[in-house]
Amino acid sequence: MKNLKSILIVLVAMASSIIVKGQVFTEGTNIISAGIGIPNVLKNQFNQIGANAKGSPVVLGSFEHGLNDEWSIGGIVAYSTTSVNDEVLGFKYEGKWKFLIIGAKIDYHFGNEKVDIYGGSVLGYASISETILDKKIATISGFVYYPHLGIRYPFSKNVHGFTEIGYGISILNLGLSISLK
C-alpha cells in the first residue's frame, strides 16, 4: 500500500508539471475503450496458497463522456474466470469462478497537449459465482469502490493506447481507446 501511495504521488506530480494549453481530452469528448487487466487477482490468490489455478486475463470495456475539459463520467464492465483442479492445502479441490464488475466511473483529466493523464474512481456492483464439482454453490455480490490512475497516449487523432493502475478486478489495465467527438 505504501508503494501504491508513492506511485500515485509521483504520477500526480508528473501530471501537474506538464499541464499546458491544448488538451487531448476536452468537453464533449466520447471515448470507448477495450482492454485486458493483469494479473487476474483471484487466480493469484489461489496460486499463493499452492493451488495450480488457471484463469483468463480480465477483459474490460468502458465508455466516458467529457462533461468539460477536466471531468468525465461513464461506465465500465470487467469480467474474468478462474479455475482450480488441484490439491489445495492437502485436499482434492475442483472449482470455477466467474467474476463480473459493472460500474460507474468518474475521472479528473489533468490536461496536456500530448497525453491524457487522469485519475478517478469506480463505484459498481461485483458478482462472483462459484461452482464446485460442477454444482453452482454460491453467488456472492455487492458494491465495490476502487480508485485508479491512468494515461492515454494518442497514436492518431482518434485512436489511443491506455494504461491504468488501481485495484479492482485487476491491478494494471492496458488497451485501446477510440475518441469520438
Side-chain angles (χ1 to χ4, degrees), residues 66-102:
L67 298 175
N68 56 38
D69 289 352
E70 295 155 346
W71 290 98
S72 68
I73 59 170
I76 187 167
V77 175
Y79 178 80
S80 73
T81 62
T82 301
S83 65
V84 174
N85 188 357
D86 199 3
E87 200 170 286
V88 178
L89 302 175
F91 297 95
K92 176 70 177 153
Y93 191 78
E94 182 180 326
K96 297 176 185 169
W97 294 264
K98 296 176 183 174
F99 194 161
L100 173 69
I101 292 179
I102 300 172

Side-chain angles (χ1 to χ4, degrees), residues 14-35:
M14 286 173 39
S16 61
S17 69
I18 58 177
I19 293 175
V20 294
K21 195 172 182 177
Q23 301 168 326
V24 171
F25 187 88
T26 59
E27 181 177 354
T29 300
N30 293 307
I31 296 175
I32 299 170
S33 300

Side-chain angles (χ1 to χ4, degrees), residues 35-84:
I36 61 168
I38 52 176
N40 176 324
V41 174
L42 189 57
K43 175 183 144 189
N44 281 3
Q45 289 174 344
F46 275 107
N47 287 337
Q48 286 177 355
I49 62 168
N52 184 19
K54 296 178 169 67
S56 68
V58 176
V59 178
L60 57 104
S62 68
F63 172 80
E64 292 178 66
H65 173 73
L67 298 175
N68 56 38
D69 289 352
E70 295 155 346
W71 290 98
S72 68
I73 59 170
I76 187 167
V77 175
Y79 178 80
S80 73
T81 62
T82 301
S83 65
V84 174

Side-chain angles (χ1 to χ4, degrees), residues 46-177:
F46 275 107
N47 287 337
Q48 286 177 355
I49 62 168
N52 184 19
K54 296 178 169 67
S56 68
V58 176
V59 178
L60 57 104
S62 68
F63 172 80
E64 292 178 66
H65 173 73
L67 298 175
N68 56 38
D69 289 352
E70 295 155 346
W71 290 98
S72 68
I73 59 170
I76 187 167
V77 175
Y79 178 80
S80 73
T81 62
T82 301
S83 65
V84 174
N85 188 357
D86 199 3
E87 200 170 286
V88 178
L89 302 175
F91 297 95
K92 176 70 177 153
Y93 191 78
E94 182 180 326
K96 297 176 185 169
W97 294 264
K98 296 176 183 174
F99 194 161
L100 173 69
I101 292 179
I102 300 172
K105 66 184 291 189
I106 184 167
D107 290 329
Y108 179 81
H109 300 262
F110 292 96
N112 184 284
E113 69 180 13
K114 296 185 180 183
V115 296
D116 177 19
I117 299 171
Y118 57 95
S121 60
V122 170
L123 178 62
Y125 180 78
S127 175
I128 302 173
S129 63
E130 181 177 27
T131 304
I132 305 295
L133 299 172
D134 293 326
K135 294 181 183 174
K136 188 170 183 179
I137 300 296
T139 298
I140 302 164
S141 57
F143 287 98
V144 293
Y145 164 80
Y146 60 91
H148 61 269
L149 280 176
I151 187 166
R152 194 174 286 122
Y153 181 81
F155 297 128
S156 69
K157 182 179 177 184
N158 296 326
V159 179
H160 312 274
F162 75 87
T163 301
E164 292 178 343
I165 59 170
Y167 196 88
I169 196 168
S170 61
I171 298 170
L172 177 68
N173 300 323
L174 307 164
L176 290 175
S177 299

